[in-house]
Amino acid sequence: MDFRLSRDQTDLRRGVRELLAGRFGREALRAAVDGGGGLDRGLWKELGEAGFFALRLPEDEGGVGLGLPEAVLVFEEAGRVLLPGPLVATHVAAGAVPGAAEGTAVVTEVSPEGLLPWRDAADVVRGDAAGAVPVRSVDPLTPLHRVPGAGGAAESVTVLLTAAEQVGTAAWCTEAAVAYARQREQFGQVIGGFQAVKHLCAGMLVRTELARAAVWAAAVTGDAVETAGAKLLADEAAVANARDCLQVHGGMGFTWEADVHLHLKRAWVRAALVLPAGRAAEEVAAAL
Protein backbone atom coordinates (compact mmCIF):
# COMPACT_ATOMS: atom_id res chain seq x y z
CA MET A 1 0.00 0.00 0.00
CA ASP A 2 1.18 3.52 -0.78
CA PHE A 3 0.62 5.91 2.13
CA ARG A 4 2.21 8.91 0.48
CA LEU A 5 -0.08 11.90 -0.01
CA SER A 6 -1.87 11.99 -3.33
CA ARG A 7 -1.60 14.99 -5.64
CA ASP A 8 -5.07 16.15 -4.55
CA GLN A 9 -4.16 15.87 -0.87
CA THR A 10 -0.92 17.79 -1.40
CA ASP A 11 -2.81 20.52 -3.26
CA LEU A 12 -5.43 20.66 -0.50
CA ARG A 13 -2.80 21.11 2.19
CA ARG A 14 -1.00 23.77 0.16
CA GLY A 15 -4.22 25.62 -0.54
CA VAL A 16 -5.24 25.69 3.11
CA ARG A 17 -1.77 26.84 4.15
CA GLU A 18 -1.86 29.68 1.65
CA LEU A 19 -5.36 30.70 2.71
CA LEU A 20 -4.42 30.81 6.38
CA ALA A 21 -1.14 32.58 5.68
CA GLY A 22 -3.07 35.31 3.90
CA ARG A 23 -5.89 35.63 6.43
CA PHE A 24 -4.31 34.66 9.74
CA GLY A 25 -0.60 35.29 9.57
CA ARG A 26 1.56 36.41 12.46
CA GLU A 27 0.28 40.00 12.44
CA ALA A 28 -3.33 38.79 12.66
CA LEU A 29 -2.41 36.36 15.43
CA ARG A 30 -0.78 39.08 17.52
CA ALA A 31 -3.65 41.47 16.81
CA ALA A 32 -6.11 38.84 18.05
CA VAL A 33 -4.09 38.37 21.24
CA ASP A 34 -3.72 42.11 21.85
CA GLY A 35 -7.40 42.66 21.05
CA GLY A 36 -8.65 40.30 23.73
CA GLY A 37 -9.14 37.20 21.60
CA GLY A 38 -12.57 37.83 20.08
CA LEU A 39 -13.84 35.56 17.31
CA ASP A 40 -13.49 36.94 13.77
CA ARG A 41 -16.88 36.19 12.16
CA GLY A 42 -15.66 37.34 8.76
CA LEU A 43 -12.81 34.83 8.81
CA TRP A 44 -15.18 32.15 10.10
CA LYS A 45 -17.48 32.70 7.11
CA GLU A 46 -14.51 32.61 4.74
CA LEU A 47 -13.50 29.26 6.20
CA GLY A 48 -17.01 28.01 5.59
CA GLU A 49 -16.97 29.23 1.99
CA ALA A 50 -13.62 27.47 1.48
CA GLY A 51 -15.17 24.17 2.62
CA PHE A 52 -13.31 23.95 5.93
CA PHE A 53 -16.36 22.84 7.89
CA ALA A 54 -18.15 20.97 5.10
CA LEU A 55 -15.07 19.00 4.09
CA ARG A 56 -16.50 15.59 5.03
CA LEU A 57 -20.11 16.24 4.03
CA PRO A 58 -21.24 14.37 0.88
CA GLU A 59 -21.38 16.47 -2.26
CA ASP A 60 -25.12 15.90 -2.65
CA GLU A 61 -25.55 17.59 0.73
CA GLY A 62 -23.52 20.61 -0.28
CA GLY A 63 -20.22 19.37 1.10
CA VAL A 64 -16.81 18.69 -0.39
CA GLY A 65 -17.13 14.91 -0.16
CA LEU A 66 -13.71 14.13 1.31
CA GLY A 67 -12.81 12.01 4.34
CA LEU A 68 -10.87 11.92 7.60
CA PRO A 69 -7.44 11.62 5.93
CA GLU A 70 -8.04 14.98 4.24
CA ALA A 71 -9.57 16.51 7.39
CA VAL A 72 -6.47 15.81 9.50
CA LEU A 73 -4.33 17.58 6.90
CA VAL A 74 -6.54 20.65 7.10
CA PHE A 75 -6.64 20.71 10.89
CA GLU A 76 -2.88 20.31 11.13
CA GLU A 77 -2.57 23.53 9.15
CA ALA A 78 -5.07 25.24 11.47
CA GLY A 79 -3.02 24.11 14.46
CA ARG A 80 0.16 25.40 12.88
CA VAL A 81 -1.12 28.99 12.79
CA LEU A 82 -3.06 28.79 16.10
CA LEU A 83 -6.34 29.55 14.34
CA PRO A 84 -8.78 30.41 17.17
CA GLY A 85 -12.36 29.31 17.69
CA PRO A 86 -14.26 26.04 18.21
CA LEU A 87 -13.11 24.69 14.85
CA VAL A 88 -13.45 20.99 15.63
CA ALA A 89 -16.91 21.30 17.18
CA THR A 90 -18.24 23.32 14.24
CA HIS A 91 -16.71 20.90 11.74
CA VAL A 92 -18.24 17.90 13.50
CA ALA A 93 -21.63 19.67 13.64
CA ALA A 94 -21.69 20.36 9.89
CA GLY A 95 -24.81 18.81 8.41
CA ALA A 96 -26.47 18.51 11.81
CA VAL A 97 -26.60 22.16 12.87
CA PRO A 98 -27.93 24.70 10.34
CA GLY A 99 -25.23 27.13 9.26
CA ALA A 100 -22.31 25.14 10.66
CA ALA A 101 -21.16 23.85 7.28
CA GLU A 102 -21.37 27.31 5.68
CA GLY A 103 -19.56 29.09 8.49
CA THR A 104 -22.56 31.26 9.35
CA ALA A 105 -23.03 29.52 12.70
CA VAL A 106 -20.42 28.97 15.38
CA VAL A 107 -20.87 25.71 17.28
CA THR A 108 -19.15 24.70 20.50
CA GLU A 109 -19.48 21.63 22.68
CA VAL A 110 -19.15 20.64 26.32
CA SER A 111 -16.19 18.29 26.59
CA PRO A 112 -16.32 15.12 28.74
CA GLU A 113 -13.77 16.83 30.96
CA GLY A 114 -16.31 19.52 31.85
CA LEU A 115 -14.72 22.29 29.80
CA LEU A 116 -16.64 24.50 27.39
CA PRO A 117 -14.60 26.71 25.03
CA TRP A 118 -15.94 29.83 23.34
CA ARG A 119 -19.34 29.69 25.06
CA ASP A 120 -20.11 33.40 24.73
CA ALA A 121 -19.14 33.56 21.04
CA ALA A 122 -21.08 30.46 19.99
CA ASP A 123 -24.50 30.41 18.36
CA VAL A 124 -25.11 26.79 19.39
CA VAL A 125 -23.82 24.87 22.41
CA ARG A 126 -23.99 21.09 22.12
CA GLY A 127 -24.33 19.28 25.43
CA ASP A 128 -25.69 20.34 28.79
CA ALA A 129 -24.13 23.69 29.67
CA ALA A 130 -26.29 24.32 32.73
CA GLY A 131 -24.31 25.86 35.55
CA ALA A 132 -21.36 26.81 33.35
CA VAL A 133 -19.04 29.29 35.03
CA PRO A 134 -16.16 31.17 33.39
CA VAL A 135 -12.66 30.10 34.35
CA ARG A 136 -9.34 31.71 33.60
CA SER A 137 -7.73 30.15 30.54
CA VAL A 138 -3.98 29.92 30.19
CA ASP A 139 -4.46 30.49 26.44
CA PRO A 140 -5.47 34.08 25.61
CA LEU A 141 -7.21 32.84 22.45
CA THR A 142 -9.32 30.10 24.06
CA PRO A 143 -11.90 31.46 26.56
CA LEU A 144 -13.19 28.68 28.79
CA HIS A 145 -16.17 27.85 31.01
CA ARG A 146 -16.34 24.91 33.39
CA VAL A 147 -19.50 22.79 33.50
CA PRO A 148 -20.32 20.71 36.59
CA GLY A 149 -21.21 17.07 36.17
CA ALA A 150 -19.94 16.58 32.63
CA GLY A 151 -18.75 13.14 31.59
CA GLY A 152 -18.97 10.48 28.94
CA ALA A 153 -16.62 10.03 26.01
CA ALA A 154 -15.67 12.40 23.22
CA GLU A 155 -16.41 11.41 19.63
CA SER A 156 -13.48 9.69 17.96
CA VAL A 157 -13.47 12.32 15.19
CA THR A 158 -13.23 15.11 17.76
CA VAL A 159 -10.26 13.43 19.43
CA LEU A 160 -8.47 12.83 16.14
CA LEU A 161 -8.91 16.34 14.75
CA THR A 162 -7.71 17.82 18.05
CA ALA A 163 -4.66 15.57 17.78
CA ALA A 164 -4.10 16.86 14.25
CA GLU A 165 -4.07 20.43 15.59
CA GLN A 166 -1.46 19.35 18.14
CA VAL A 167 0.70 17.99 15.32
CA GLY A 168 0.49 21.41 13.68
CA THR A 169 1.87 23.05 16.81
CA ALA A 170 4.61 20.41 17.12
CA ALA A 171 5.65 21.03 13.52
CA TRP A 172 5.64 24.83 13.90
CA CYS A 173 7.80 24.61 17.02
CA THR A 174 10.29 22.34 15.26
CA GLU A 175 10.61 24.67 12.29
CA ALA A 176 10.86 27.78 14.50
CA ALA A 177 13.60 26.22 16.64
CA VAL A 178 15.63 25.12 13.62
CA ALA A 179 15.29 28.53 11.93
CA TYR A 180 16.41 30.35 15.09
CA ALA A 181 19.32 27.93 15.65
CA ARG A 182 20.56 28.64 12.12
CA GLN A 183 20.80 32.40 12.61
CA ARG A 184 21.46 33.04 16.33
CA GLU A 185 25.19 33.31 17.12
CA GLN A 186 27.03 32.65 20.37
CA PHE A 187 30.78 32.44 20.93
CA GLY A 188 31.43 33.27 17.30
CA GLN A 189 29.23 30.59 15.68
CA VAL A 190 25.58 29.82 15.12
CA ILE A 191 24.04 27.93 18.03
CA GLY A 192 22.83 25.23 15.64
CA GLY A 193 26.42 24.02 15.53
CA PHE A 194 26.35 23.04 19.20
CA GLN A 195 25.63 19.38 19.87
CA ALA A 196 23.12 20.07 22.65
CA VAL A 197 21.01 22.25 20.34
CA LYS A 198 21.25 19.69 17.53
CA HIS A 199 19.94 17.00 19.88
CA LEU A 200 17.00 19.16 20.96
CA CYS A 201 16.00 19.86 17.36
CA ALA A 202 16.41 16.22 16.33
CA GLY A 203 14.22 15.09 19.21
CA MET A 204 11.55 17.59 18.18
CA LEU A 205 11.55 16.28 14.62
CA VAL A 206 11.23 12.66 15.79
CA ARG A 207 8.28 13.49 18.07
CA THR A 208 6.53 15.42 15.29
CA GLU A 209 6.91 12.72 12.66
CA LEU A 210 5.89 9.94 15.05
CA ALA A 211 2.75 11.83 16.09
CA ARG A 212 1.92 12.75 12.49
CA ALA A 213 2.25 9.12 11.37
CA ALA A 214 -0.02 7.99 14.21
CA VAL A 215 -2.66 10.62 13.36
CA TRP A 216 -2.60 9.79 9.65
CA ALA A 217 -2.83 6.06 10.39
CA ALA A 218 -5.81 6.56 12.72
CA ALA A 219 -7.49 8.68 10.04
CA VAL A 220 -7.22 5.77 7.61
CA THR A 221 -8.33 3.00 9.99
CA GLY A 222 -10.86 4.95 12.06
CA ASP A 223 -9.93 2.74 15.01
CA ALA A 224 -10.80 4.23 18.43
CA VAL A 225 -7.75 2.76 20.18
CA GLU A 226 -5.39 3.99 17.48
CA THR A 227 -7.04 7.40 17.77
CA ALA A 228 -6.39 7.41 21.54
CA GLY A 229 -2.77 6.50 20.91
CA ALA A 230 -2.46 9.23 18.30
CA LYS A 231 -3.84 11.83 20.73
CA LEU A 232 -1.38 10.67 23.39
CA LEU A 233 1.58 11.04 21.03
CA ALA A 234 0.33 14.33 19.58
CA ASP A 235 -0.14 15.90 23.02
CA GLU A 236 3.35 14.86 24.03
CA ALA A 237 4.83 16.20 20.78
CA ALA A 238 3.06 19.55 21.01
CA VAL A 239 3.88 20.25 24.67
CA ALA A 240 7.43 18.88 24.65
CA ASN A 241 8.30 20.58 21.37
CA ALA A 242 7.02 23.93 22.59
CA ARG A 243 9.15 23.60 25.70
CA ASP A 244 12.23 22.63 23.69
CA CYS A 245 11.56 25.50 21.29
CA LEU A 246 11.62 27.83 24.28
CA GLN A 247 14.92 26.26 25.33
CA VAL A 248 16.49 26.83 21.91
CA HIS A 249 15.32 30.46 21.86
CA GLY A 250 16.75 31.05 25.34
CA GLY A 251 15.73 34.27 27.08
CA MET A 252 14.17 35.61 23.88
CA GLY A 253 11.68 32.74 23.85
CA PHE A 254 10.26 33.72 27.24
CA THR A 255 9.28 37.22 26.15
CA TRP A 256 5.68 38.16 25.40
CA GLU A 257 6.71 39.33 21.93
CA ALA A 258 7.79 35.82 20.90
CA ASP A 259 5.09 33.42 19.71
CA VAL A 260 6.45 30.27 21.34
CA HIS A 261 4.53 30.74 24.58
CA LEU A 262 1.26 30.97 22.63
CA HIS A 263 1.85 27.54 21.12
CA LEU A 264 2.70 26.06 24.51
CA LYS A 265 -0.44 27.49 26.08
CA ARG A 266 -2.69 26.27 23.26
CA ALA A 267 -1.08 22.83 23.47
CA TRP A 268 -1.86 22.67 27.19
CA VAL A 269 -5.49 23.59 26.58
CA ARG A 270 -5.97 21.07 23.75
CA ALA A 271 -4.35 18.35 25.87
CA ALA A 272 -6.79 18.99 28.72
CA LEU A 273 -9.90 19.66 26.64
CA VAL A 274 -10.35 16.28 24.95
CA LEU A 275 -9.12 12.85 26.11
CA PRO A 276 -6.27 13.90 28.44
CA ALA A 277 -3.13 11.79 28.62
CA GLY A 278 -4.22 9.70 31.59
CA ARG A 279 -7.46 8.58 29.96
CA ALA A 280 -5.83 8.05 26.57
CA ALA A 281 -3.15 5.85 28.14
CA GLU A 282 -5.82 3.83 29.95
CA GLU A 283 -7.70 3.22 26.71
CA VAL A 284 -4.55 2.04 24.94
CA ALA A 285 -3.50 -0.13 27.89
CA ALA A 286 -6.95 -1.73 28.14
CA ALA A 287 -6.78 -2.69 24.47
CA LEU A 288 -3.39 -4.29 25.01
Side-chain angles (χ1 to χ4, degrees):
M1 298 180 68
D2 188 351
F3 283 98
R4 290 176 296 182
L5 297 183
S6 68
R7 176 66 178 273
D8 288 343
Q9 289 171 329
T10 301
D11 290 344
L12 172 65
R13 183 167 66 173
R14 183 188 304 113
V16 172
R17 183 172 297 190
E18 291 174 354
L19 169 66
L20 295 179
R23 286 294 282 110
F24 201 74
R26 186 179 186 277
E27 290 185 4
L29 170 65
R30 299 306 306 208
V33 172
D34 295 339
L39 193 65
D40 185 343
R41 289 278 182 157
L43 175 57
W44 202 261
K45 192 171 186 301
E46 281 189 50
L47 292 174
E49 292 170 349
F52 190 98
F53 303 117
L55 190 72
R56 294 185 303 116
L57 276 183
E59 292 184 52
D60 57 9
E61 296 180 20
V64 182
L66 298 178
L68 265 179
E70 289 76 27
V72 297
L73 298 177
V74 170
F75 275 82
E76 181 179 331
E77 295 304 317
R80 181 187 291 269
V81 299
L82 291 181
L83 192 63
L87 300 164
V88 174
T90 303
H91 176 92
V92 172
V97 175
E102 297 80 11
T104 55
V106 177
V107 182
T108 189
E109 184 175 20
V110 179
S111 81
E113 314 310 317
L115 294 173
L116 176 58
W118 292 95
R119 177 184 182 275
D120 294 337
D123 300 303
V124 177
V125 177
R126 304 183 85 184
D128 185 3
V133 294
V135 293
R136 185 176 181 182
S137 174
V138 67
D139 177 15
L141 292 181
T142 309
L144 292 172
H145 281 67
R146 183 169 293 281
V147 179
E155 290 187 46
S156 183
V157 172
T158 298
V159 175
L160 186 61
L161 295 183
T162 304
E165 290 182 307
Q166 292 285 61
V167 172
T169 275
W172 182 92
C173 291
T174 302
E175 293 166 8
V178 170
Y180 187 79
R182 283 175 170 168
Q183 56 93 16
R184 178 73 168 95
E185 292 188 6
Q186 280 283 13
F187 309 112
Q189 71 174 85
V190 293
I191 63 173
F194 299 130
Q195 189 175 44
V197 176
K198 290 180 181 179
H199 285 178
L200 280 176
C201 293
M204 294 168 70
L205 178 62
V206 169
R207 281 192 294 262
T208 300
E209 291 302 316
L210 183 60
R212 178 180 283 133
V215 168
W216 287 11
V220 171
T221 66
D223 183 79
V225 176
E226 291 188 10
T227 296
K231 178 62 161 52
L232 191 62
L233 290 170
D235 286 345
E236 179 185 2
V239 173
N241 281 15
R243 286 173 169 166
D244 283 352
C245 188
L246 280 171
Q247 183 74 16
V248 171
H249 279 76
M252 179 64 68
F254 285 86
T255 63
W256 180 258
E257 289 74 16
D259 294 339
V260 186
H261 70 98
L262 297 174
H263 281 271
L264 178 58
K265 292 168 181 176
R266 183 70 63 84
W268 278 335
V269 170
R270 294 194 200 109
L273 191 63
V274 180
L275 198 65
R279 289 185 56 194
E282 287 177 2
E283 289 193 18
V284 174
L288 296 175

